[in-house]
Amino acid sequence: MNSNLGRLTGLTGGLMLALYTGLASAAYRVNFQPPVTRIAGEIYNLHMLMMYVILVIFCIVFGVMFYSIYAHRKSVGHKAAQFHENTTVEIIWTVIPFLILIGIAWPATKTVIDFKDTSNPDITIEATGYQWKWGYDYLKGEGKGISFLSTLTTPQDQIHNLEPKDKHYLLEVDNPMVVPVGKKVRVLTTAEDVIHSFWVPAFGIKQDAFPGFVRDTWFRADKEGTYRGQCAELCGKNHGFMPIVVKVVSQEEYTQWVAEQKKKASALAEDPNKQWTLADLQARGAKVYAANCAACHQATGKGLPPTFPALDGSKIATGDKAAHINRVLNGKPGTAMVAFGKQLSDTDIAAVITYERNAWGNKTGDMVQPAEVKAARK
Amino acid sequence: MSAVIDTHGHGHAAEHGDHAHPPSGLMRWVTTTNHKDIGTMYLWFAFTMLLIGGVLALTIRAELFEPGLQIVTPEFFNQLTTMHGLIMVFGAIMPAFVGFANWQIPMMIGAPDMAFARMNNWSFWLLPVAGSLLIASFFVPGGAPAAGWTMYAPLSIQMGPGMDLSIFALHIMGASSIMGSINIITTILNMRAPGMTLMKMPMFVWTWLITAYLLIAVMPVLAGAITMTLTDRHFGTSFFNAAGGGDPVMFQHIFWFFGHPEVYIMILPAFGIISQVIPAFARKPLFGYASMVYATSSIAILSFIVWAHHMFTVGLPTAGLLFFMYSTMLIAVPTGVKVFNWLATMWRGSMTFETPMLFAVGFLFVFTMGGFTGLMLAIMPVDVQLQDTYYVVAHFHYVLVAGSLFAIFAGTYFWIPKWTGRMYDETLGKWHFWLSIVFFNITFFPMHFLGLAGMPRRVPDYASQFTNFNQISSVGAFGFGLSQLLFLYIVLKCSVFGKGEKAPARPWEGADTLEWTHLPSPAPYHSFHEQPEVK
């Protein structure tokens, strides 16, 4: 976006002018994103109510202060009074704020109760946080059984300023979550490795996702559209690169989308007993590696030791095949190496292991067939 | 700020001590048990850490000047945010207030020194060790910890050996804080001048008494949390690992049971300083002294029952959310009382605006804005939108920088004539204030908007719509950072270089505590050999 203009105004110190002229544009948004759920609307209103209360208090308190600074200066000859106690005013300025707080607590309490009511959903989706992508499993309701991963699609070249940035820079994914408009969607959150947080500002929801625990939240989107959020809990180096995109579509479109997903899933179901050639496995493995492994172990296979060890020349990637399969399937507890067995198909795991055993300096010539991976799963 | 090197104070009438002369040169500082020397070292240590933490912050702001990755890698960025937080909280703000306590508490209560003078030396000298460990973590394989200053498990379990160094550093700093607190409490309770009842103590002494109790209560809790992290990392325990029957949320409960009182540990002494400065320059006694004491105590007590407001998005039950929302909102009441009392102190006073007063009024104005956003964040549904966004970053910098740091500046300008015997340069001091407050707001005010619009914190890169406010903020940050060099110059000038107008014993007309009324400027190396009477 007009970053040159922004830089210029920022630098030249015409800050207030920039603020004034820019307030109308999205680049200078000064309030919440437009709410599309009832809860988000309530939050928006609570925030506005609070702002009005705060503004009034601000004006009174600092009106008094600046008047005092103006009038009660030594330089204008004001003599100091010596009063220093008054129980009545102390009680007044204890009780009045207390009453204001009760006035605010009332609507806030109603929203809290509403916010927590995840009962009777039409659709239940589990959102799983991985380092660093989201997985969505449709557990109940229309679309049950659909399951996919959702990864950032912004190219590295844009992140490294080698290409101009897209409109939705950092907020675009390959497979968005798709939900029907007007339906109550319950989102279960969990995580595979560390804590993540599922946050869609336009829906007014943010729910942390914990490894080994399931939490829940809900939304009912009133308007079709594409809504973008991000992981909101520091989860390691690519925390800033795991957005959440939710597409809210009409009921008909949703039904159609569900049908397509099912068809795709059955087409994708591969014969785990198929015998692959080394070249095919390597080609497929390279893609799987780029999408799942390169963030930590790096495209060069050199890793970022000691947290992310090198694969190039590593004992596991050049040693016993079974140990390598086991490590990819089951991960290594207590480290960032997660169990990919749950995320990837037998074919993908076979391919990526084959790739790792033949890429860089690892010229083992080994080949792992999907059937071997299948056998290694208990 | 050096207690100025002189034992010339020995020539002073009050100084017919039979003390042996302390060693000179470096050994003087290593072996000193003098509260003024130790206070000086605390303050210089804090300032050094402030500059280091500031450089980290400026690197962060430089990276965030525009979208994309320009200067640092994402993993190093996370190390920067983590270390900026740890260094500023444990290295800069907390030691600075302990430095004030060391210098001022004995002088304000008419005591000759701190109660445990040797332990005082030990609690200071632990700090450079801890600080070095913390900074050394940048240079071990894998770099400094990158899990945020909150060190949430299980991310902290994934870190390299830098995490262990930081855990040890925090243990040592915790031990230092606990010893410092025991010393402060003992000094205040046992060594007050005859006639100085608790309810006659200067407000600064009161706030530190309460702070010291908070420290003793919660530093062990932090030590527990990070020890569990350590054993989870190396000894196969599973406190925070669900696979072994643990719970990552438990870390957050324990951390914030420490963390919220910690927030008040960093602000109550600031309240104390402001409560000394405002009456001095309004030439009028502090309004509502008793209610200030009660308000400070209420804040301290409430601080133990609000911790889960840092955890509104972890999925607490409804009843829990409501409890923590209400208890958090309650804090606004005593905090409001304090602000109103300060206003009433100013009201119908005879005010002048030397640099300490400017910083105090600046504190009042900007800290209160941080209080307002705190109230906003107390409202659980609103917090859900703002948790872990730049709004929170704005909020806690309004209370920590414009709150604690501005109070530290106010206190330094206020007491530096007493510490060094020299007046600071008033013109430069005013410049320092105006540059600081203007650049502070340019830096942090736009962050409210970023947070509202949905920019998460702790990200090295951001979506393009956040560019403009980030640029404003980065420009402000560099202005703010550079302005602090002016402060360094002003302080060096009257301490190390000993330049500037000679300070009278009581340079501030309205200042009436013992250090002004009973001691010359600079305060002699050993003060109050004979206890003063307080009527």
Side-chain angles (χ1 to χ4, degrees), chain A residues 329-345:
Chain A
L329 270 181
N330 301 317
K332 184 179 181 190
T335 69
M337 181 64 195
V338 296
F340 281 96
K342 287 183 216 162
Q343 296 183 36
L344 300 177
S345 69

Side-chain angles (χ1 to χ4, degrees), chain B residues 301-347:
Chain B
I301 291 163
L302 282 173
S303 76
F304 286 104
I305 57 163
V306 297
W307 76 88
H309 68 216
H310 297 272
M311 304 164 55
F312 277 155
T313 61
V314 303
L316 297 173
T318 312
L321 291 174
L322 291 176
F323 172 80
F324 284 106
M325 178 169 86
Y326 299 149
S327 60
T328 305
M329 291 170 78
L330 270 186
I331 290 191
V333 175
T335 315
V337 167
K338 297 198 76 101
V339 171
F340 298 141
N341 276 325
W342 286 321
L343 280 183
T345 307
M346 291 165 71
W347 187 253

Side-chain angles (χ1 to χ4, degrees), chain A residues 59-329:
Chain A
C59 292
I60 296 171
V61 168
F62 292 112
V64 169
M65 185 178 95
F66 284 111
Y67 173 77
S68 178
I69 287 174
Y70 164 76
H72 305 149
R73 277 174 298 157
K74 194 183 179 191
S75 56
V76 295
H78 194 270
K79 292 273 181 297
Q82 288 302 312
F83 63 84
H84 58 88
E85 232 169 23
N86 188 325
T87 310
T88 317
V89 302
E90 299 282 359
I91 290 173
I92 290 172
W93 64 41
T94 306
V95 171
I96 291 180
F98 191 77
L99 296 177
I100 295 174
L101 289 179
I102 293 176
I104 297 167
W106 181 251
T109 302
K110 285 200 283 192
T111 307
V112 171
I113 292 168
D114 215 2
F115 180 87
K116 289 295 286 182
D117 179 16
T118 55
S119 58
N120 303 317
D122 299 309
I123 295 175
T124 303
I125 303 173
E126 185 177 55
T128 306
Y130 299 96
Q131 281 174 317
W132 292 273
K133 55 183 166 286
W134 289 95
Y136 301 122
D137 295 277
Y138 289 60
L139 298 183
K140 272 192 196 156
E142 189 181 358
K144 181 178 171 185
I146 294 177
S147 169
F148 54 88
L149 292 172
S150 179
T151 315
L152 177 74
T153 52
T154 301
Q156 284 295 317
D157 281 354
Q158 289 189 17
I159 293 172
H160 289 98
N161 308 309
L162 303 172
E163 275 178 24
K165 298 182 184 358
D166 289 342
K167 181 153 183 263
H168 296 299
Y169 176 69
L170 293 190
L171 299 177
E172 49 197 353
V173 296
D174 48 3
N175 306 305
M177 177 192 278
V178 178
V179 296
V181 70
K183 290 279 161 61
K184 181 165 185 175
V185 180
R186 180 177 177 220
V187 181
L188 305 178
T189 65
T190 186
E192 185 63 27
D193 30 51
V194 298
I195 306 170
H196 301 271
S197 187
F198 184 84
W199 177 33
V200 184
F203 298 168
I205 56 169
K206 182 183 287 150
Q207 176 58 56
D208 295 353
F210 295 95
F213 292 88
V214 176
R215 297 288 205 271
D216 68 345
T217 184
W218 71 278
F219 65 89
R220 188 196 300 271
D222 296 331
K223 225 174 99 196
E224 291 173 35
T226 303
Y227 303 102
R228 295 164 203 275
Q230 283 177 272
C231 175
E233 183 65 60
L234 178 61
C235 57
K237 79 186 179 67
N238 284 353
H239 164 53
F241 304 93
M242 51 180 291
I244 294 149
V245 180
V246 182
K247 251 174 94 175
V248 178
V249 297
S250 67
Q251 182 57 49
E252 301 77 61
E253 275 177 88
Y254 182 70
T255 309
Q256 204 184 340
W257 178 80
V258 169
E260 273 168 28
Q261 293 299 308
K262 299 256 155 141
K263 223 192 301 167
K264 246 206 261 176
S266 54
L268 269 175
E270 283 159 317
D271 176 9
N273 296 316
K274 176 182 168 190
Q275 289 292 313
W276 290 63
T277 65
L278 180 61
D280 285 350
L281 280 172
Q282 278 183 285
R284 177 151 176 176
K287 281 187 206 147
V288 178
Y289 184 86
N292 296 283
C293 318
C296 298
H297 295 295
Q298 306 294 302
T300 58
K302 302 281 183 218
L304 296 165
T307 318
F308 308 117
L311 299 182
D312 188 4
S314 87
K315 262 188 258 166
I316 291 196
T318 56
D320 180 26
K321 265 202 307 194
H324 196 170
I325 295 172
N326 179 45
R327 176 59 53 86
V328 177
L329 270 181

